[in-house]
């Protein structure tokens, strides 16, 4: 058993080194450091003013419900990421980089282990796969009405800002898809990537395809909201 654990850690260490070499180009490393690790911040930074401007012609109640979708999505992001950290902590063990069979039992979390200069080996569900998948789908749902939205009620400056935000959000989606591809090639094993992706798909489906169809919810974006009303009329 000890030999198997040691072999698994050594294999994981070699895999990490290989992945770091493959993933160390300045463009990819910069994208991971400044975009992916701050991906939810970028999403909220661009999507919040977009929702405020794109829904400003609707009632205040409808606008508040659309902004509530940001709160729900942020809660989903927080719960899932904290769950991933917890799983990695309870399933892992701290060990010395130079000797995989020497464990440090006094460190019971990844943070304290790495802070002390050691390595942590736990089951690491791909947070990148989760957040990139969920964020891209979330932005897609909220920006979809822009294709048929009438912005003539807005003055020139707000309309220009709205268009710029729409372009920026589409560029962010392209960035997320690209970084998701890089993650799927270079990091984590197949089950970790699969679980991370499924964790991104599940809350999107349960909110926009199930819960948001009900009256007691933040509701759907304007275009789909109007279509649903016509179908029920």
């Amino acid at each position: 058993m000890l030999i198997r654990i040691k072999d698994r850690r050594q294999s994981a260490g070699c895999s990490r080194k290989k992945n770091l070499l493959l993933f160390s180009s300045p463009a990819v490393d910069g994208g991971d450091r400044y975009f992916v690790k701050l991906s939810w911040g970028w999403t909220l930074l661009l999507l919040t003013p977009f929702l405020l401007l794109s829904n400003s012609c609707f009632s205040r109640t409808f606008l508040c419900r659309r902004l509530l979708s940001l709160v729900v999505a942020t809660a989903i992001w927080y719960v899932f990421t904290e769950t991933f950290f917890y799983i990695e902590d309870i399933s892992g063990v701290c060990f010395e980089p130079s000797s995989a069979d020497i464990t440090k039992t006094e460190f019971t979390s990844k943070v304290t282990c790495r802070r002390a200069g050691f390595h942590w080996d736990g089951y690491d569900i791909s947070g990148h796969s989760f957040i990139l998948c969920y964020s891209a789908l979330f932005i897609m749902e909220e920006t979809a009405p822009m294709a048929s939205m009438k912005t003539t009620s807005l003055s020139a400056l707000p309309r220009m800002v709205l268009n710029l935000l729409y372009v920026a959000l589409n560029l962010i989606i392209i960035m997320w898809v690209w970084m998701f591809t890089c993650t799927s090639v270079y990091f984590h094993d197949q089950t970790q990537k699969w679980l991370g992706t499924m964790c991104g798909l599940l809350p999107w489906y349960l909110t926009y395809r199930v819960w948001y169809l009900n009256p007691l919810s933040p509701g759907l974006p304007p275009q789909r909201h109007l279509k649903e009303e016509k179908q029920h009329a």
Side-chain angles (χ1 to χ4, degrees), residues 53 146 150-165:
L53 288 172
M146 189 67 176
K150 295 181 180 179
T151 59
T152 53
S153 60
L154 297 174
S155 58
L157 181 59
R159 187 163 60 249
M160 181 186 70
V161 172
L162 181 62
N163 289 331
L164 289 174
L165 287 169

Side-chain angles (χ1 to χ4, degrees), residues 19-38:
N19 290 338
L20 287 173
L21 289 173
L22 292 168
F23 206 67
S24 60
S25 69
V28 175
D29 183 62
D32 180 66
R33 181 178 301 177
Y34 298 112
F35 286 94
V36 179
K37 292 186 183 301
L38 302 173

Side-chain angles (χ1 to χ4, degrees), residues 4 11 33 36 50 84-85 110 113 127-129 136 170 175 186 188 193 204 214 217 229-230:
R4 290 181 181 177
S11 176
R33 181 178 301 177
V36 179
F50 177 85
F84 295 163
F85 292 146
K110 179 180 178 179
C113 175
H128 278 44
S129 295
N170 278 277
M175 170 70 80
Y186 297 129
H188 301 279
K193 288 180 285 193
W204 162 76
N214 298 317
S217 73
E229 285 187 347
K230 289 180 181 179

